[in-house]
Amino acid sequence: MAYLPTGREGGTSLTPSCIVRYEFNPFYNQTAVVALPPSAREEKKQNNSIHIRILVASLFTTFGLAVVSASGFFIWRRRNTQEDGENSKEVQLLDLVGGRIPHKHSRDTVGGENLGESQEFPSIRLDILLAATNRFSDDNKLGEGGFGPVYKGTLADGKEIAVKRLSRASDQGLVELKNEVMLIARLQHRNLVKLLGCCLEKNEKLLVYEFMPNRSLDVFLFDSNLAAQLDWQKRFIIIKGIARGILYLHEDSRLKIIHRDLKTSNILLDHQMNPKISDFGMARLFGEDKNEANTNRVVGTYGYMAPEYAMEGLFSVKSDVFSFGVLLLEIISGKKNNGFHLAERGESLLTFAWKLWSKGEGMRLIHQLLVPTCVASEALKCIHIGLLCVQEDPEDRPTMSSVIVMLATDTITLPRPAEPAFSVGRAVAPPLELTSSQGLISINMLTISNLSPR
């Protein structure tokens, strides 16, 4: 009754449990109103109450479903908008490679050589790569690096490809992907891996390369069964091929590029065992008048890093020269610089090689499998060049153009290399177990430390 309007000739109040109306004039047929017995009125009242409760519950349920559906729609819409925005940003970044990237290529166009405007950098559809890799099945997985997994694929025309897929959990992201694309898409050299294109669809980030059937150099060097397939002649060809590839990056290409992550796993081998440098995600582009740079973010692999880069963040073309020197000594010895100290009492491969060479025993560094096919003069020259490349002072290291000349001729007198710096990033060798019979006993029951200089 409190909701009824006042001061009027009539009014109505509607609530979920009650409807009240009043008028001065009759508004219903009085003769049709039949007084119900008390029991009937009570039953009708209960039925009306049940119906109203059902109606209210239905309304609330319908409203709740509508709210949930609307929320789900807006969340889906927002997520798709974000993904579209990310893909749009990625495409914009990759457009910096030079010219608009075409997004529609047929299978025949990808496999062919006549790519028209997209010859420098084609975009490949996701459905083509899904079909080529059998939807990135584990059977086609070639390996996994910092960027993410790599899969083998076969296009419809039979062309084999390698697809590098950015992992969502990868430390390398869009910046490294753009960096690799912008650099390698503009480079053409027989000793650099060829980028065929990329794919940015449905939040996927994929790079497509030519397929290297013999995988990477480390697979052969450090496997006791496969190492025999690399005789001295093949290793010497690989050394010269890597040197030519680095020289192209430093001096002969349109760009001046510091790779910053040269290592055996980033040297791929084609069907004829020719080396091709890969993985330009960490590379840096230099201007013609710039020779050195500094970074607060040191990237790369310990054991291949130049000391000035690992300790101070300074890198230059001489940083890559240092890495090449490590590569050269690993190819000759068949041993890794990382972990070498575990077998040689804290000594790195570099200092071990220098000591042997200084004593005139350089041939002891050469892998035993190479002895039957080895040309002693070439092997010793390579060791000498490797030691020149890993000197501590960058100014003492040769340029890659000088390295090429050294490798090509036997008439040049090479300078004497200085002792290499300590190896950065070595783990501490486990302490030797000492017994009382060795006479090393701590009187005050304290443990005895075996000090090993870094």
Side-chain angles (χ1 to χ4, degrees):
M1 295 296 292
Y3 292 104
L4 286 172
T6 58
R8 299 180 183 177
E9 294 184 353
T12 302
S13 176
L14 302 176
T15 67
S17 60
C18 182
I19 301 175
V20 178
R21 179 181 178 185
Y22 72 92
E23 297 286 351
F24 279 94
N25 299 316
F27 55 86
Y28 63 94
N29 189 356
Q30 293 181 349
T31 60
V33 177
V34 179
L36 295 175
S39 59
R41 288 201 302 269
E42 190 67 28
E43 182 179 353
K44 184 176 181 180
K45 183 178 180 181
Q46 292 177 357
N47 290 338
N48 288 340
S49 178
I50 293 173
H51 292 161
I52 290 171
R53 290 177 182 175
I54 293 174
L55 177 61
V56 171
S58 300
L59 290 174
F60 273 107
T61 302
T62 304
F63 178 74
L65 290 174
V67 170
V68 172
S69 300
S71 301
F73 172 78
F74 284 115
I75 291 173
W76 172 81
R77 181 70 177 175
R78 182 178 180 183
R79 181 175 298 173
N80 280 358
T81 302
Q82 289 176 343
E83 291 181 359
D84 292 341
E86 289 177 1
N87 286 338
S88 176
K89 291 178 182 178
E90 291 162 2
V91 172
Q92 290 175 5
L93 288 171
L94 293 177
D95 283 346
L96 297 175
V97 176
R100 181 68 181 168
I101 300 173
H103 293 281
K104 294 181 180 180
H105 287 282
S106 67
R107 300 168 190 267
D108 296 333
T109 304
V110 174
E113 294 296 328
N114 186 15
L115 296 175
E117 294 181 357
S118 65
Q119 186 170 4
E120 187 175 18
F121 183 69
S123 177
I124 304 176
R125 296 203 316 265
L126 179 60
D127 62 320
I128 295 176
L129 300 181
L130 289 175
T133 60
N134 192 20
R135 307 190 72 84
F136 301 113
S137 68
D138 290 339
D139 293 338
N140 289 333
K141 189 173 181 180
L142 298 174
E144 188 161 359
F147 187 96
V150 181
Y151 299 88
K152 179 184 177 181
T154 305
L155 298 175
D157 61 358
K159 183 180 181 65
E160 293 182 322
I161 58 174
V163 182
K164 186 187 290 187
R165 186 184 192 189
L166 176 65
S167 170
R168 301 246 177 128
S170 173
D171 292 335
Q172 291 179 244
L174 183 59
V175 175
E176 283 78 3
L177 180 142
K178 184 200 72 169
N179 190 50
E180 181 154 0
V181 168
M182 288 183 65
L183 295 180
I184 196 172
R186 299 184 180 190
L187 304 176
Q188 296 293 332
H189 191 270
R190 62 174 299 184
N191 295 118
L192 301 182
V193 68
K194 185 177 181 181
L195 178 67
L196 302 178
C198 82
C199 175
L200 294 173
E201 289 185 36
K202 298 183 180 179
N203 215 26
E204 287 280 4
K205 303 177 185 69
L206 307 170
L207 295 176
V208 183
Y209 299 89
E210 59 178 329
F211 177 67
M212 296 288 104
N214 285 314
R215 297 172 289 177
S216 56
L217 180 58
D218 62 322
V219 173
F220 287 86
L221 285 183
F222 309 128
D223 185 289
S224 56
N225 296 322
L226 297 177
Q229 297 183 29
L230 292 181
D231 58 18
W232 171 250
Q233 191 61 31
K234 289 181 180 177
R235 296 193 190 210
F236 194 46
I237 291 174
I238 289 173
I239 290 170
K240 292 188 289 186
I242 297 172
R244 285 193 297 266
I246 302 173
L247 175 64
Y248 174 79
L249 296 176
H250 289 181
E251 301 180 21
D252 295 341
S253 70
R254 291 180 290 171
L255 311 171
K256 186 176 183 179
I257 296 173
I258 314 299
H259 190 281
R260 294 204 300 172
D261 197 21
L262 291 168
K263 55 184 177 180
T264 53
S265 60
N266 283 340
I267 306 299
L268 305 183
L269 302 173
D270 65 10
H271 63 285
Q272 294 180 338
M273 304 300 283
N274 294 313
K276 293 180 182 286
I277 301 172
S278 68
D279 199 344
F280 287 77
M282 304 298 180
R284 288 290 294 270
L285 178 65
F286 269 32
E288 293 182 0
D289 57 344
K290 193 173 183 181
N291 295 315
E292 185 179 79
N294 183 275
T295 181
N296 293 324
R297 182 190 176 207
V298 176
V299 295
T301 305
Y302 285 118
Y304 296 92
M305 286 185 189
E308 72 277 4
Y309 178 48
M311 303 300 293
E312 303 175 46
L314 293 172
F315 63 93
S316 64
V317 291
K318 296 298 184 71
S319 305
D320 281 354
V321 172
F322 183 94
S323 301
F324 172 76
V326 178
L327 275 170
L328 199 157
L329 294 175
E330 287 186 334
I331 292 172
I332 293 173
S333 66
K335 299 182 183 298
K336 296 181 181 180
N337 187 33
N338 283 339
F340 184 84
H341 63 282
L342 296 178
E344 300 297 334
R345 300 292 299 275
E347 209 164 34
S348 72
L349 175 63
L350 313 184
T351 54
F352 180 72
W354 185 83
K355 288 180 179 179
L356 289 178
W357 180 86
S358 299
K359 294 187 294 184
E361 301 175 359
M363 291 298 293
R364 287 180 52 194
L365 183 69
I366 300 173
H367 197 288
Q368 291 299 315
L369 293 173
L370 301 179
V371 174
T373 60
C374 177
V375 178
S377 60
E378 288 181 346
L380 291 174
K381 180 177 65 175
C382 286
I383 295 174
H384 196 154
I385 295 172
L387 293 174
L388 290 173
C389 292
V390 298
Q391 293 178 99
E392 182 173 6
D393 190 344
E395 295 296 326
D396 294 337
R397 301 170 201 156
T399 61
M400 289 309 302
S401 56
S402 299
V403 169
I404 294 291
V405 173
M406 294 176 189
L407 290 171
T409 181
D410 296 326
T411 59
I412 298 178
T413 302
L414 304 182
R416 181 179 179 85
E419 184 175 3
F422 64 90
S423 179
V424 178
R426 291 187 297 160
V428 178
L432 298 175
E433 295 183 2
L434 303 178
T435 62
S436 58
S437 61
Q438 294 174 291
L440 297 175
I441 303 175
S442 175
I443 298 176
N444 57 4
M445 302 304 293
L446 296 178
T447 58
I448 298 176
S449 300
N450 293 310
L451 301 179
S452 178
R454 292 183 62 189

